Amino acid sequence: MIKAGIIGATGYAGQELVRLLLQHREAEIVWYGSRSYVEQTFSSVFGNVFQIVEDVCKSDDLQELSREADVIFTATPQGYLAGVLDEDILNNCRVIDLSADYRIKDVSVYEEWYKIKHKSPELIKEAVYGLCEINREQIKKARLIANPGCYPTCSTLAVYPLAKAGLIDMDTLIIDAKSGTSGAGRGAKVANLYCEVNENIKAYGVTTHRHTPEIEEQLSYASGKKVTLNFTPHLIPMNRGILITAYAKAKPGVTGEELRRVYQEAYGEEYFVRVLEEGVCPETKWVEGSNFVDVNVMLDERTGRVIMMGAMDNITKGAAGQAVQNMNLLFGIEEAEGLRLVPMVP
Amino acid sequence: MIKAGIIGATGYAGQELVRLLLQHREAEIVWYGSRSYVEQTFSSVFGNVFQIVEDVCKSDDLQELSREADVIFTATPQGYLAGVLDEDILNNCRVIDLSADYRIKDVSVYEEWYKIKHKSPELIKEAVYGLCEINREQIKKARLIANPGCYPTCSTLAVYPLAKAGLIDMDTLIIDAKSGTSGAGRGAKVANLYCEVNENIKAYGVTTHRHTPEIEEQLSYASGKKVTLNFTPHLIPMNRGILITAYAKAKPGVTGEELRRVYQEAYGEEYFVRVLEEGVCPETKWVEGSNFVDVNVMLDERTGRVIMMGAMDNITKGAAGQAVQNMNLLFGIEEAEGLRLVPMVP
Amino acid sequence: MIKAGIIGATGYAGQELVRLLLQHREAEIVWYGSRSYVEQTFSSVFGNVFQIVEDVCKSDDLQELSREADVIFTATPQGYLAGVLDEDILNNCRVIDLSADYRIKDVSVYEEWYKIKHKSPELIKEAVYGLCEINREQIKKARLIANPGCYPTCSTLAVYPLAKAGLIDMDTLIIDAKSGTSGAGRGAKVANLYCEVNENIKAYGVTTHRHTPEIEEQLSYASGKKVTLNFTPHLIPMNRGILITAYAKAKPGVTGEELRRVYQEAYGEEYFVRVLEEGVCPETKWVEGSNFVDVNVMLDERTGRVIMMGAMDNITKGAAGQAVQNMNLLFGIEEAEGLRLVPMVP
Amino acid sequence: MIKAGIIGATGYAGQELVRLLLQHREAEIVWYGSRSYVEQTFSSVFGNVFQIVEDVCKSDDLQELSREADVIFTATPQGYLAGVLDEDILNNCRVIDLSADYRIKDVSVYEEWYKIKHKSPELIKEAVYGLCEINREQIKKARLIANPGCYPTCSTLAVYPLAKAGLIDMDTLIIDAKSGTSGAGRGAKVANLYCEVNENIKAYGVTTHRHTPEIEEQLSYASGKKVTLNFTPHLIPMNRGILITAYAKAKPGVTGEELRRVYQEAYGEEYFVRVLEEGVCPETKWVEGSNFVDVNVMLDERTGRVIMMGAMDNITKGAAGQAVQNMNLLFGIEEAEGLRLVPMVP
């Protein structure tokens, strides 16, 4: 059994890790870390695991945890892990970081967008970006995984095949994203109160959202050239789910059949990425609670534009699910172990 | 592997059966019955199982199905199964009926509340009421299971220990129930449109709801005397979940400790019924997508009244989950197989 | 024009006062008090009044405000007004208090349920309980109005006719209440986050909710005897609305026709209380954004119990709307001025 | 008093017309037309107007209605009005059509996108497109108003100033739209059931939505050249509201200040179009139940793209509100009469 520790277990991503690991046959949770609830039972915070989890919340002592666990998941605020991670910890166990600290290779880009001084830039290089479908082989050999952000996971997977195949003009790429409210975290803020979010929709972080450079970096690798794009997220009155609608000019002569073929080739072997039937639009409900990403592509003959779409559960494949998928790769377990969950409808 | 057939697979209870059976290690679905979608792929109706289920929907030919399946689940309109079930079918396979046709032993009560002439009253007697925690032993030997209604499951389990122990005055029992909208089914009705249900709450079926006699019958067995009660359901703007708040006069001298002890004794050994800590109120979110029923009890010293509470997912423990639990009992499998699902939060 | 000042203008009840007073032909707002947002424009907090309200938020200096305003509305935390109100202020202007400070005549009951020492008990006696349909004449002559709580308004109006007429056994009264989330206020608490409330329902404050003694006091006046009852509120995933379902034993021989006649007589002349057609259940959607309370009553012949129902918008008739209705009465304006709002559907 | 008749009064737009006209000081409703509910009281369908509206629903006899009314609102399925409208009716009274029948000047475009043969193409020319802020003067003199579609109203107003001023490259225009579910109408369809829409988001009508040519036509007038664009609507789990996020390349040298100045100039005098403060993103909640359209614009210096945003209530300004605004213009009443509604929060 893999011994797993979670730092930040009482946030939404942390709690999802708990849900997934409890249903995993080859892992067990040895540390429920939560600074806010230290010494309280975890199940008093999340009643769903009453009589399932007996554990009490512990501190965020990463050094001690690294000696007890085979893998540590950090679902912590930006900058936290960069401030405490060191060689000692990485020699003791694997680390899967759900924060943004090691996702962006150029530390100056990280510091500019996050307005944080990076405390351990020397570790950035070895960190592997844990987008499993793209970086599977490097992940297997890593000590430190930078688990991708929710928007970047869905955006990158929805656009990747065309970026790679060179079928769209990357300079025209626009990503319009919509997310359920769990993506905003479990902090007590007026803006996230029920009555503020319910019966409402708004864009936020327009031109400035921190996931922008992460998506740009990944799509730059895919396309082989530097990508600059527009990314606009919107807050949706629902708990879970991200929907991506992306637009770009098709290269001259590209056909709808060609577009679909490229997606089939890219994802035909992938269990978690489902290329929907022609003309079917992804819906977040169809992936809720699961690790699937549903994608599709359409060509608008009138405008010569390609519409790429992706739907995903933001706290499963967009956070905890992908983290478990990374753990499975790290430890040589079947990649979908603990993740063959049928999405919940309705 | 148990071969399972579903009649009514494209309703919400039917679809939940699909979700649960796909995650069950000892059963497989051999028949996706759906009159409305015959010859269409099941996954074109429920995109959540795209690339998981390849099957095409079939008719409701129960005779043929009974020769192919070990167990048939009928998630069908009231009166349907009573009109087609016969000895032949019951000799071929087990039947778990999610409709109300065989739940009420007194056929005249059924006919009065449902306004339907029962077509096979001779089968009512042998049917076992599939409330697993109460009728476990009889269920194991049955051919025909009357799977309990959603409200009756939650109501009965929330009240049962006190009814059995004689600690409340059954003549004062009032059950105020609240249900998510999936309980109203997947039929296209104006009253169930998003804009009619959202941002709204109402009572319905006041004094006339069909689940009333079913609850009364079960609590009559428990208390050993004929129970007549008030049952008032309310429609809540959420997909899943039932909450029961029940009120009754405590018998003289009854204490809060005694009340809690009776629940602990009744359900201490039960995996699916969780007696919450003292003072904790059940929440439907804590059981979402799972087969749990969370219950609790409080004594109001000021009024001498007991408040009994229960929370449950109406299409899991309230329909499909309990049906699978019944299947497990029927076939001698571990009772919780396929049902050890951690509730989904948020 | 009546000059109105609001203390606590940036809470949900305060903001609703703003909405209503802006549409009132004989009042104007001269003071937007909000300790948290002092010196910020009110419309930067509530964008709905952008370009409608230019004012900047002010402090809670009640003395100064009392010299500028004809009427002060206090939508403030429990205990605040009792700590600052004095003869000076009451000599300068009328005060309509939306908190609970002056609702309960017996100060020891207030202090027991609210766990607060009352700082100005000498003012309690003169305060008039502003349930307009019941206390209309006293309100007209008052200096200080105790604006009723949301649950007490709906509960009292739903039960009042039968309590007054003596047609139910008051010792058997149970009130099961359901409220939208705006009733929980605009404070930043984890329990009121979107993802905690959405897709969830729970009871809270069982046997201990502070509105219990307020309802008991009012129904005691109506029935002429001391009433002790069960009151159980539930939190519903919607913004606005309260639904009351109340149960009591009918006195022997009471008929359904008699029950309905008593409601017609009680409310036949009232604009804001609508007695629905026989058999129609109130829905919160039908009163949303308005000052209406919809009520109905049914007799269950099987159990001999009466079911009383009421629906209301908790921040309109349950707070700000009734406060404006009280203001109209205080200043001799037509009672429905500014309140003839058609409920918003959907 | 203007006598108004409504055909299609029991749909969501029709019901909103009722709500608005009941609060209008110079109009009265003389005809509640609803084929589905003929001879039933209107308030039995929409309980919100119980004791406010006593009328019974009538047929859709347009000829008779035209002799009783000064203005007819048709909130009817596409193709209906084109099939029955004639000179007689137009000589008797003014007609404001909320369907799409007379919005598009080129009948072949209408027939291609709507798949309907237009039955009265001779009337298209005289119909005035009722986007009040743009066509105010022509509206005043019209007999027949083509009330704009919901998406076109919000999209056109959000983009119009830049299209007119020539500050964006119209060939790069992409409109990503999000709508509440009332836009889907009140028909009983499975896809619009609560449980299908709730906790879900999806794009629909990608590349084919019928509002596309309507937006293109209006923006072609504004920009003086033929516009072809991408329009992608999404269904959002909320009752009311449309949010538009539009993207286009800025012309070389354009600055953010210039963009904002153009909006201020275009809408500075308009009551219903509010240009938000710099950097503030529109939210549908801030306009709910009102006739406002909130717009804003940002320049992304990194990509050289302009992001235009608009928020509106789809059944108020997007349907019934704008229809009343058109009526006010037609009859020489103050344009905002009956429409000075403060948006409802929360």
Side-chain angles (χ1 to χ4, degrees), chain B residues 176 216 230 234 247 302, chain C residues 171 176 216 245 247 302 305:
Chain B
D176 191 284
E216 289 179 342
N230 271 96
H234 298 77
Y247 305 87
R302 296 171 66 249
Chain C
D171 290 334
D176 190 284
E216 288 179 343
T245 315
Y247 305 88
R302 296 170 66 250
R305 240 172 243 123

Side-chain angles (χ1 to χ4, degrees), chain A residues 138-168:
Chain A
Q138 301 97 293
I139 291 165
K140 292 178 182 172
K141 297 169 291 191
R143 290 195 304 175
L144 171 58
I145 299 289
N147 206 61
C150 53
Y151 288 125
T153 296
C154 198
S155 300
T156 305
L157 290 172
V159 176
Y160 183 85
L162 300 188
K164 184 91 179 175
L167 299 187
I168 51 175

Side-chain angles (χ1 to χ4, degrees), chain B residues 171-172 176 178 199-201 203 216 230 232 234 238-239 245 247 281 283-285 300 302-303 305, chain C residues 171-172 176 178 199-201 203 216 230 232 234 238-239 245 247 281 283-285 300 302-303 305:
Chain B
D171 289 335
T172 65
D176 191 284
K178 299 89 179 168
E199 295 296 290
N200 195 15
I201 174 172
E216 289 179 342
N230 271 96
T232 312
H234 298 77
M238 59 183 191
N239 286 350
T245 316
Y247 305 87
C281 294
E283 308 190 20
T284 57
K285 195 65 184 171
D300 186 349
R302 296 171 66 249
T303 63
R305 239 170 244 124
Chain C
D171 290 334
T172 65
D176 190 284
K178 297 91 179 168
E199 296 296 290
N200 195 15
I201 174 172
E216 288 179 343
N230 271 95
T232 312
H234 298 78
M238 60 183 192
N239 285 350
T245 315
Y247 305 88
C281 294
E283 308 190 19
T284 57
K285 194 66 183 171
D300 186 349
R302 296 170 66 250
T303 63
R305 240 172 243 123

Side-chain angles (χ1 to χ4, degrees), chain A residues 19-26 272 289 291 316 321 324 328 333-341:
Chain A
R19 183 177 79 97
L20 296 174
L21 291 172
L22 288 172
Q23 299 179 97
H24 194 286
R25 284 177 295 185
E26 307 194 29
F272 290 122
N291 205 48
T316 316
V324 171
N328 290 342
I333 301 168
E334 201 263 316
E335 188 172 336
E337 169 52 34
L339 298 171
R340 294 192 182 276
L341 303 164

Side-chain angles (χ1 to χ4, degrees), chain A residues 176 216 230 247 302 305, chain D residues 171 176 216 247 302 305:
Chain A
D176 191 283
E216 289 179 343
N230 272 96
Y247 305 87
R302 295 171 66 249
R305 238 171 245 123
Chain D
D171 289 335
D176 191 284
E216 289 180 342
Y247 305 87
R302 296 171 66 251
R305 239 171 243 123

